[in-house]
Structure formats: C-alpha cells, structure tokens
Amino acid sequence: GLLRAGEVTHERTWQLPLWEEYGEYMKGEVADLTNISNAGRGAGTITGGSFLSNFADKYKWAHLDIAGTGWVGGDVSPYIPKGPSGYGVRLLVEYLRNIAAGNK
C-alpha cells in the first residue's frame, strides 16, 4: 500500500491514530462540523484527518498532509530541487503502479 510506496519513493508515510476524541475537537458552534480544531490546536495533521474521516464512509482513504513539504527552500536531493517539490506525486504514482500490477 501507501507505506510500501513511500519507502520505494522516499516520500515516507506513517499511520497516525484516529481516536474518537479527535472528532470532538471538530464539533462546531454554528455548523455540526468544522474543518479546524476547537481545542486551540489548529487543524493539524491528526485533526485534519479526523475531519476528512467524516466523509469517507466505507471507503479506504488516506490524508496526505503535504503542507510543510510542498515547497522547499534549497536542494533536498537530485530529484527535489529548490521550489515546488511535487511531494506526494511520486508516492501516488508508485502506489497506482502497484495496484495496476496486482500488488497491494
């Protein structure tokens, strides 16, 4: 899956917890659900994932929080130069290649 694709592409991923209490942080005063935590912590990676989980229903899903990796200030590697990194593209292409090849 995505974890394996991340190792191959060096766009590594990990599975964060999605505990029920994170949903409590997303309850709104005006709307039933907000896209930012009411716990004073901002959206963050985990609460952002918690927000998205409300719309996934029975589908497999992943929250790729690439905000901090989308733009780099200097050369990171030969294939990630200064500027927009394209982070996540190689990861998703590798993931889809594996699915097309019958690997999960």
Side-chain angles (χ1 to χ4, degrees):
L2 281 174
L3 293 172
R4 187 172 343 123
E7 288 297 322
V8 169
T9 62
H10 295 279
E11 294 186 355
R12 295 181 176 110
T13 61
W14 67 91
Q15 187 172 354
L16 295 171
L18 195 58
W19 294 312
E20 211 172 291
E21 58 263 26
Y22 293 144
E24 295 296 316
Y25 300 150
M26 310 312 289
K27 288 187 177 178
E29 293 179 20
V30 176
D32 293 337
L33 184 66
T34 65
N35 66 345
I36 191 163
S37 171
N38 62 26
R41 297 184 182 106
T45 302
I46 291 177
T47 54
S50 177
F51 174 77
L52 293 173
S53 73
N54 287 278
F55 306 99
D57 293 323
K58 62 184 181 234
Y59 301 101
K60 290 184 177 182
W61 64 280
H63 174 216
L64 303 179
D65 188 7
I66 61 168
T69 60
W71 190 273
V72 293
D75 291 348
V76 176
S77 71
Y79 60 91
I80 304 177
K82 180 180 179 177
S85 70
Y87 197 91
V89 174
R90 288 175 291 278
L91 169 73
L92 293 176
V93 167
E94 179 68 19
Y95 175 71
L96 293 172
R97 282 183 178 158
N98 288 331
I99 290 174
N103 303 324
K104 295 187 178 188

